[in-house]
Amino acid sequence: MKTSNGRFCFFASLLIAALGPSGVFADCECGYSINATSSPFTDLLETDFLHLKDLTRNKDWVAQNYTVGASAARGPFGKRASLDNVVANPLSSRYDWSGRGVAGGDPGLQLYVRGGEPKDGLIPMGEIATGRLDMSHGSFRAGIKVSDVPGTCAAFFWYFNDTEEIDVEILSKQLNDSSSPVNLVLQSPASQKAGFDAAGTPNFNVHQLPFRPDRGYHEYRFDWSPEKVSFYADGAWLKDMTMSVPTSPGHITFSHWSNGNADWSGGPPSVDAVMTVSYMKAYFNSSTPSRQEDYRRRCTKPTATNATCVIPVQSVAPDPSSRDGNSTARTFFFNQQHNMTVNQTDSSEPKPSHASTMDMARTINIAAAMFFVYAVSSV
């Protein structure tokens, strides 16, 4: 009987190893929440641009290639987006979080607006967008340093169509030692009626920042719920907007552009201007039925320890060029932690799917049960 007891203990240890002490297969299986009491978001997408070497091999982002004429661009110039103006400039070591990029200058993903008046009437610009189009309510965050060359618009935004859009835009011509505004916008049917000039609508706010966004990296964030969109900078609340809140799923875009419109971007810039992105973190509900079903399958014990993970607040400027860059720029990524992104889509190495994790655990359990039967029968 003593041998049987030993075998029983071995069987129990296998089950604990397979399921974990809380009975769940992985941490964060029930999602990611803004705080301990808020409803969790089902999905995440995180990208560390400080260490991304080649955007073309990344599965989550698509560099945009398109041409828009002056009329459609609503300015005296049109726009030409191309891969040539999207440049990966990572840090030289994956262990470092501060310093210059491998090509010199600010590290991260660089989006260029080329300087000078274009001969073809199209200002060269850089833009990237997520491949996923299923991003609904969520929390969206990015580390950005904008250009100090007047004449461009640096934009971080969520987009479904021209009347459902959440914008964070910084105009380099507005930046000086006495003024550092960020333009917060919800494009809506009202802005459409005004010729997409949102300035006269309730969903337009110019907020003065307590820092120069062209002199360092800062986190810009918006939290989107069915009731409102809340904007933040370096973790500090800026503004709530409650009218014409979007209802459709969409995607995230970073765009650095100019159309020469004196009422907005100004420009074109006299020399090449660059907007640099150090990271993007999106925690959201997916509109895709298969993703929703994946969530229902994996979130079987929402009250279990670590089933839901709280998203850390970035309250310090995540600046790799600061004196303490190795600590301030090293922000938290769930996809860089062990076992926190099972069955998720992110920009790190592919994770095993939840289905494969379940199959592996089920195989272990069956083998353990068979061994248990053998052990008991051998008593």
Side-chain angles (χ1 to χ4, degrees):
M1 192 66 183
K2 182 177 180 181
T3 301
S4 176
N5 285 340
R7 288 170 177 165
F8 179 82
C9 291
F10 178 69
F11 161 74
S13 67
L14 281 177
L15 286 179
I16 293 173
L19 290 174
S22 62
V24 299
F25 289 103
D27 292 338
C28 315
E29 284 189 323
C30 291
Y32 311 86
S33 61
I34 293 175
N35 54 55
T37 60
S38 62
S39 298
F41 303 118
T42 63
D43 284 52
L44 96 168
L45 192 157
E46 297 178 322
T47 308
D48 171 14
F49 289 115
L50 287 178
H51 299 98
L52 182 68
K53 296 180 179 179
D54 186 353
L55 185 73
T56 63
R57 301 183 65 181
N58 181 274
K59 63 191 177 187
D60 291 325
W61 294 94
V62 180
Q64 301 299 292
N65 287 278
Y66 64 81
T67 297
V68 177
S71 177
R74 307 185 191 108
F77 295 94
K79 301 184 292 185
R80 185 192 301 279
S82 68
L83 182 59
D84 294 340
N85 299 318
V86 179
V87 180
N89 188 32
L91 294 164
S92 59
S93 171
R94 64 190 180 95
Y95 300 106
D96 290 335
W97 291 86
S98 67
R100 297 168 66 84
V102 293
D106 293 325
L109 188 75
Q110 299 178 325
L111 303 179
Y112 278 89
V113 175
R114 300 302 177 179
E117 186 168 321
K119 294 181 180 180
D120 61 0
L122 302 173
I123 300 176
M125 54 164 286
E127 181 173 297
I128 64 170
T130 56
R132 291 186 68 167
L133 307 175
D134 62 328
M135 296 179 168
S136 189
H137 305 119
S139 182
F140 305 88
R141 310 161 184 220
I144 300 170
K145 180 180 180 181
V146 306
S147 175
D148 61 355
V149 180
T152 74
C153 174
F156 163 45
F157 62 99
W158 172 95
Y159 182 85
F160 172 69
N161 63 24
D162 288 347
T163 61
E164 291 193 69
E165 181 178 344
I166 304 170
D167 287 325
V168 177
E169 298 191 349
I170 297 175
L171 308 180
S172 57
K173 71 173 187 177
Q174 294 180 332
L175 304 178
N176 55 59
D177 288 336
S178 61
S179 179
S180 296
V182 59
N183 299 274
L184 311 174
V185 186
L186 294 190
Q187 296 289 358
S188 64
S191 62
Q192 183 183 39
K193 290 180 181 178
F196 295 101
D197 180 4
T201 72
N203 288 333
F204 179 86
N205 178 258
V206 179
H207 193 98
Q208 288 292 332
L209 298 168
F211 52 78
R212 281 284 297 264
D214 57 337
R215 292 181 179 172
Y217 296 69
H218 296 272
E219 182 184 89
Y220 304 91
R221 163 186 159 195
F222 52 89
D223 294 348
W224 167 31
S225 71
E227 296 79 25
K228 63 182 178 180
V229 176
S230 300
F231 295 90
Y232 300 81
D234 289 341
W237 174 82
L238 303 180
K239 181 71 176 179
D240 287 342
M241 294 185 182
T242 59
M243 298 181 65
S244 299
V245 175
T247 59
S248 304
H251 64 275
I252 289 293
T253 297
F254 292 99
S255 184
H256 192 206
W257 59 273
S258 177
N259 63 0
N261 187 333
D263 293 330
W264 196 248
S265 72
S270 58
V271 297
D272 287 356
V274 62
M275 163 189 180
T276 308
V277 185
S278 60
Y279 63 80
M280 197 287 297
K281 303 174 184 180
Y283 312 94
F284 58 96
N285 293 327
S286 172
S287 63
T288 304
S290 61
R291 297 292 305 177
Q292 295 170 358
E293 178 59 26
D294 285 341
Y295 178 75
R296 286 190 289 268
R297 289 180 61 200
R298 72 178 180 265
C299 183
T300 57
K301 294 188 176 182
T303 60
T305 303
N306 297 330
T308 299
C309 296
V310 175
I311 308 162
V313 174
Q314 182 65 33
S315 57
V316 177
D319 193 351
S321 62
S322 72
R323 183 175 58 183
D324 300 319
N326 255 325
S327 59
T328 58
R330 186 169 187 166
T331 64
F332 184 89
F333 292 85
F334 286 103
N335 66 13
Q336 293 178 4
Q337 313 304 313
H338 174 65
N339 210 33
M340 285 188 165
T341 56
V342 172
N343 198 41
Q344 294 288 3
T345 300
D346 56 57
S347 294
S348 62
E349 291 299 316
K351 304 288 192 302
S353 70
H354 184 67
S356 65
T357 305
M358 291 177 66
D359 290 342
M360 180 175 64
R362 189 177 295 111
T363 300
I364 294 173
N365 292 348
I366 292 172
M370 290 176 65
F371 185 84
F372 177 70
V373 172
Y374 165 77
V376 172
S377 64
S378 299
V379 175

